[in-house]
Amino acid sequence: MAPSPIRIAVLEADVPINYTRAKYGSYGAVFTSLLHKAADASNIARERLEITGWDVINSESAQDGKVDEMGGEWNWKRRKGYPKMEDVDAVLITGSRYNAFDNDPWVVRLVGFVKEVLAQSRVRVIGVCYGHQIVGRALGAKVARSEGGAWEVSVSQVNLTEKGKELFGKGALNIHQMHKDLVYYYPEGVEELGSSGPCKVQGMYVPKRLVTVQGHPEFTEEIVADLLENRHKLNIFPDGIYEDGMARVGNPQDGVLVAQAFLKFVMEDCG
């Protein structure tokens, strides 16, 4: 009997720029690339992964269903709206340039959808950066700018808790960061995964329900260099942040290891 598919819906809360847009077309393809590498490293056949992309910003309704051709080398396609719960095993909320604490209609709709997923017991939730913050908000935690609006960028170290060490298999993670917003405290019932100097809530975990990271396991050196260059040109990043980030952008990082933990989390007791 063939193993069951692993159905992951990527809820795309932004579109990439420049290099990343040309290569991948969409963040759904970026995550597909990462999850394929994680599957290879975990001896899971790539063919088991059924990954779909969903535009949660521009849909007129929760079940819009229209398909966009995103282009790029991956020729990625994504639907507008949200998946039906019975069609997926997990939802993965991507990063975004937007604020998880805003009340734009699409943000409120996204928070509401995450609450619906968390209210049932089968479909699991993965949150990355902005997605991590959306999950924090859905669970009632404060999400806001860091004090002073300080940025955490490029490859940075995250010190892991005992649960974090168990999930990721090492004492600390090196992972790309690109944020100045934070989840300020761990919601009730959530296990702590790690922290860094600028950010005390670097990851959240509830067995068989949710796992999140503030960092970006999907980011590569090229993707982050592209972001740093662009935000420096736009005067979002002053020289100091840009130069510091570029000095660390090529450092070894644990993105694939984190994605392996994501797959293990989705597959636990599910085949």
Side-chain angles (χ1 to χ4, degrees), residues 203-218:
M204 303 184 292
Y205 177 69
V206 176
K208 303 176 187 178
R209 299 302 315 120
L210 68 91
V211 62
T212 72
V213 292
Q214 177 58 68
H216 282 276
E218 81 283 14

Side-chain angles (χ1 to χ4, degrees), residues 18-32:
N18 303 337
Y19 160 85
T20 312
R21 182 68 179 267
K23 182 173 178 64
Y24 298 97
S26 177
Y27 280 122
V30 175
F31 274 100
T32 299

Side-chain angles (χ1 to χ4, degrees), residues 13 30 44 60 78 128 138 151 186 192-194 208 212 230 239:
V30 175
I44 299 168
E60 295 180 3
R78 68 177 185 181
V128 171
W151 283 91
Y186 286 94
E192 305 177 14
L193 293 185
K208 303 176 187 178
T212 72
N230 184 68
D239 291 345

Side-chain angles (χ1 to χ4, degrees), residues 11-241:
L11 308 185
E12 301 183 34
D14 206 347
V15 293
I17 61 169
N18 303 337
Y19 160 85
T20 312
R21 182 68 179 267
K23 182 173 178 64
Y24 298 97
S26 177
Y27 280 122
V30 175
F31 274 100
T32 299
S33 176
L34 172 69
L35 291 168
H36 280 176
K37 293 173 185 175
D40 293 345
S42 303
N43 295 315
I44 299 168
R46 290 187 179 190
E47 292 74 19
R48 285 190 68 188
L49 301 183
E50 295 183 3
I51 304 170
T52 54
W54 298 82
D55 176 5
V56 298
I57 298 177
N58 297 306
S59 59
E60 295 180 3
S61 67
Q63 296 293 339
D64 192 321
K66 296 177 183 176
V67 178
D68 286 333
E69 302 273 352
M70 300 305 295
E73 295 176 19
W74 280 67
N75 193 30
W76 183 256
K77 299 178 180 65
R78 68 177 185 181
R79 299 170 179 83
K80 292 183 182 295
Y82 290 84
K84 294 179 180 178
M85 217 81 75
E86 60 266 28
D87 293 337
V88 296
D89 301 308
V91 296
L92 186 159
I93 309 120
T94 71
S96 178
R97 77 193 75 178
Y98 301 107
N99 301 321
F101 48 81
D102 280 350
N103 288 312
D104 294 338
W106 75 268
V107 178
V108 174
R109 186 182 302 138
L110 177 57
V111 173
F113 179 77
V114 170
K115 288 181 178 180
E116 290 177 18
V117 179
L118 293 175
Q120 52 81 65
S121 60
R122 189 185 66 81
V123 179
R124 301 176 186 188
V125 176
I126 302 168
V128 171
C129 193
Y130 178 85
H132 159 81
Q133 296 164 13
I134 288 289
V135 173
R137 176 176 173 177
L139 292 172
K142 174 185 176 181
V143 180
R145 289 275 188 273
S146 61
E147 293 183 9
W151 283 91
E152 190 173 25
V153 304
S154 203
V155 179
S156 305
Q157 181 170 296
V158 173
N159 297 313
L160 297 175
T161 63
E162 290 305 311
K163 177 55 68 174
K165 293 174 185 176
E166 177 187 329
L167 288 184
F168 300 117
K170 59 188 306 186
L173 289 178
N174 292 308
I175 188 169
H176 278 295
Q177 303 278 357
M178 189 61 63
H179 72 103
K180 64 176 178 178
D181 298 343
L182 307 173
V183 178
Y184 267 75
Y185 54 83
Y186 286 94
E188 184 178 354
V190 167
E191 294 189 63
E192 305 177 14
L193 293 185
S195 64
S196 63
C199 178
K200 301 306 179 186
V201 183
Q202 279 283 353
M204 303 184 292
Y205 177 69
V206 176
K208 303 176 187 178
R209 299 302 315 120
L210 68 91
V211 62
T212 72
V213 292
Q214 177 58 68
H216 282 276
E218 81 283 14
F219 278 1
T220 63
E221 176 180 352
E222 294 80 9
I223 291 173
V224 176
D226 194 21
L227 287 167
L228 290 168
E229 292 278 3
N230 184 68
R231 293 181 178 185
H232 186 232
K233 289 177 182 176
L234 294 174
N235 295 317
I236 297 171
F237 290 161
D239 291 345
I241 291 177

